Amino acid sequence: MKKSNTILMIIVIVIIASLVVWKIGTPNLISKNKENTTEKVSKKVEKESKKTKKKKEISKAKSSTTETSSSTKSESSSKSSSESTSSVSSYQSNVRFPELQAYVGKTYYAIDRESAEYPQMFPTSFTITSDGEAIIISGRQEPIEYVRTEGSGFVQLGGGPVFVFSFRPLGSSDEVEVVNQGQYLTYSTTMPE
């Protein structure tokens, strides 16, 4: 009996000891697994970021090569046409509102202003600045805050609390029709005599 009790006691002690060792060892294993997983994930992230950086560098290199080849082609064409093309493209990039591209830098003069029912409703001239950010109406500059195009071909400029100005092209951008409270007047880039 004593022998079986001691064997039983040894088995219980071994089981308790193995449980204690297992209990202590398991968190260490879990944290090691977490560390290994974290390291693997961070390495993957580093590899992916390196790949995307390489892709971006390759695409930048391709675009710069394309730009270089296109600029070389444009240089091989006649000098005057390439100059006019580059001046137009740089001119377009400077205009704040693309809808005003055809009108910027031009001064429009009222044609037969005195024949209007209320001539004081119409300025003698107006100019949209070359950057498209302001309009000069009879010498007074108004900043343009928005541009709207309407279905009837009208372009409406607005800014400040009360500034609104509407016009539409008549055949070409060199001749426009200005509307003010239901009254219309034609303007042209050619100064009337």
Side-chain angles (χ1 to χ4, degrees):
M1 265 324 237
K2 271 191 171 181
K3 213 175 195 180
S4 65
N5 278 346
T6 38
I7 292 174
L8 192 62
M9 194 76 140
I10 290 171
I11 291 173
V12 169
I13 291 172
V14 168
I15 289 173
I16 291 174
S18 60
L19 281 174
V20 169
V21 169
W22 178 75
K23 215 31 168 167
I24 292 171
T26 303
N28 289 340
L29 287 175
I30 291 171
S31 66
K32 281 185 183 179
N33 283 343
K34 282 183 182 176
E35 286 172 12
N36 288 341
T37 306
T38 307
E39 284 177 28
K40 286 178 184 177
V41 169
S42 65
K43 284 179 183 177
K44 275 188 178 181
V45 168
E46 281 179 36
K47 283 182 182 178
E48 290 299 318
S49 66
K50 285 180 183 177
K51 283 181 184 177
T52 54
K53 277 185 183 179
K54 283 183 181 179
K55 285 180 183 177
K56 285 180 182 177
E57 288 172 5
I58 289 169
S59 66
K60 281 182 183 177
K62 282 183 181 177
S63 66
S64 66
T65 306
T66 307
E67 287 172 8
T68 306
S69 65
S70 65
S71 66
T72 305
K73 285 179 185 174
S74 66
E75 284 174 14
S76 66
S77 65
S78 68
K79 191 174 183 180
S80 63
S81 67
S82 65
E83 284 175 3
S84 65
T85 305
S86 64
S87 67
V88 167
S89 63
S90 65
Y91 193 60
Q92 287 177 343
S93 64
N94 292 338
V95 177
R96 182 175 174 194
F97 300 103
E99 300 93 334
L100 299 179
Q101 180 61 49
Y103 310 102
V104 294
K106 295 179 181 179
T107 300
Y108 292 89
Y109 303 96
I111 297 175
D112 202 17
R113 180 174 175 256
E114 297 306 316
S115 69
E117 190 175 345
Y118 301 103
Q120 67 275 13
M121 292 174 64
F122 297 97
T124 55
S125 66
F126 72 91
T127 306
I128 297 174
T129 58
S130 58
D131 58 8
E133 294 199 11
I135 184 171
I136 302 167
I137 302 174
S138 296
R140 191 181 79 247
Q141 185 167 324
E142 295 282 351
I144 299 171
E145 293 177 9
Y146 68 86
V147 175
R148 293 190 185 114
T149 52
E150 298 169 5
S152 56
F154 277 96
V155 178
Q156 185 184 76
L157 315 178
V162 292
F163 165 65
V164 177
F165 190 84
S166 297
F167 65 91
R168 71 174 166 193
L170 294 174
S172 74
S173 62
D174 292 336
E175 200 169 272
V176 297
E177 184 176 49
V178 174
V179 63
N180 189 356
Q181 297 177 19
Q183 303 292 313
Y184 296 87
L185 188 64
T186 303
Y187 283 74
S188 175
T189 55
T190 308
M191 186 183 287
E193 294 176 4

